[in-house]
Amino acid sequence: MPATILVGTQWGDEGKGKVTDFVADHMDFVVRYQGGNNAGHTVLAGDQLLKLHLIPSGILYPHITSVIADGVVIDPRILLEEMDTLNARGIGTSRLVISGNAHLIMPYHLELEKVTERYLGKHALGTTKRGIGPAYADRAARIGLRVQDLFDPKIFRQKLDVALKEKNLILTKVYGRLPLEADGIVEDYMEYAGRLEPHVADTSKLLWDALRAGKQVMLEGAQGTLLDLDHGTYPFVTSSSPVAGGALASAGLGPHEVDRVIGVTKAYVTRVGAGPFPTEDTGPDGERMGERGQEFGTTTGRKRRCGWFDAALLRYAARVNGLTEVFLTKLDVLSGIPRVKVCTSYRADGRSFDDFPPHQSLFHKAEPQYDEVDGWAEDLSAARSFDDLPKAARAYVELLAELGGVKVSAVSVGPSREQTLVLA
Ligand code: GDP
């Protein structure tokens, strides 16, 4: 049975949690493949609104095994807190499986991110300051500590001492901070180890066996395509690979295991933090999208920047992820805007670009070229089929599919499961 990849096509916050919820009944495994506790899916379970920052949203369903794969960085304190919160709400976490190869976020990662962002001043990246970037940097520098190290106290201490020696020099000599003590860190992490041990397994093997046994596996990305370390708007990106290819590398699966790549696309665009955003609308329309769409970060509470749909970016996301279909979310938010704009291409330096420009300077200067179409005044939240939508809303969806060059398989008009219109 082939696996499905679910990936955001924009700068994250496309409503991926809702899509997972929609397909959950058919899934046996939901796998988180990158990022750390910076993600934040908001999911509506029954009448409960739950915010998950690290644990895959599959955890809400008793029949699903939730997996945290190799390519995720884990702050064990936060993970255990999230497990406790779920347990307190009566949601069991015994079906959570964690890869022993996943890297650990350590206290010095948090400390270092705080001081470096401050040091960068106006050039700061606007990170979530949860130590995720520094943990990925140590992973690449091969001085990271992994989940499996928790279960060998001697090795854990050795690796920690090596890392701390350098980190403390940087903290004290470069940033004038106090050094961190190894003993306290060891004590805390050994306590986490005891609680995490029953959840740790070889997740690549687990998924391989599951697929051989005909189980349904979904690999769920956090953030989005334009925040990808390689394919996003570098340097204003995340430190891992949300694109579909990243899912395979992290989960330890080959490309032939996947036959479906669902791109989650919001009916307009939002972005958190710094970086280029050609279709941003800082006027009343953008303000309206932010208010009606409640565009505030799940993890940070930060207000998101809002703007018009960008079809050039959808074409790009369709290409770099190999999307087989699009799940379009939050169409209801656009109700009441008399004329709706859609970016079809850009102009920069006197040239026209149908796609994401190949040089970042061009993207910074890109002037969006818009098609303007009629909006709709009707509230869409009660629609239950595509035909229930007003003509202008249907035409808008069809236009996005045509310009994006990818079929739209479902349209969402509200947070609940019933507010999902499946297209033939
Ligand atoms: P994610 O990280 O990609 O899951 O995105 P968010 O955490 O920003 O979640 C999107 C938010 O929008 C959540 O609060 C959802 O309940 C909500 N949502 C999802 N789909 C729709 C929709 O079609 N319409 C509206 N109005 N809200 C939606």
Side-chain angles (χ1 to χ4, degrees), residues 22 30 32 121 145 150 174 190 194 255 274 351 354 398 402 406:
F22 185 69
V30 172
R32 173 82 193 271
L145 275 79
L150 290 169
V174 179
M190 288 304 115
R351 287 153 67 196
D354 288 340
E398 282 157 5
E402 188 194 319
V406 55

Side-chain angles (χ1 to χ4, degrees), residues 8 12-20 38-44 49-52 57 220-223 264 266 268 270 292-299 304 327-333 381 411-416 419-420:
D13 310 313
E14 298 92 349
K16 295 177 291 292
K18 148 110 195 204
V19 185
T20 308
N38 54 346
H41 284 326
T42 316
V43 282
L44 195 65
L49 197 64
L50 275 179
K51 294 185 175 187
L52 298 172
S57 42
E220 173 187 76
Q223 289 92 36
V264 188
K266 193 145 55 179
Y268 48 100
T270 61
R292 285 181 54 95
Q294 300 190 359
E295 298 296 350
F296 299 93
T298 314
T299 297
R304 297 173 184 148
F327 192 114
L328 189 71
T329 61
K330 293 191 146 181
L331 186 64
D332 55 302
V333 171
S381 60
V411 176
S412 169
V413 293
S416 79
Q419 291 168 307
T420 310

Side-chain angles (χ1 to χ4, degrees), residues 1-4 26-30 210-211 214-218:
M1 188 68 72
T4 299
H26 308 290
M27 289 297 153
D28 301 299
F29 288 78
V30 172
L211 288 164
K215 303 286 184 199
Q216 293 278 0
V217 173
M218 188 167 79

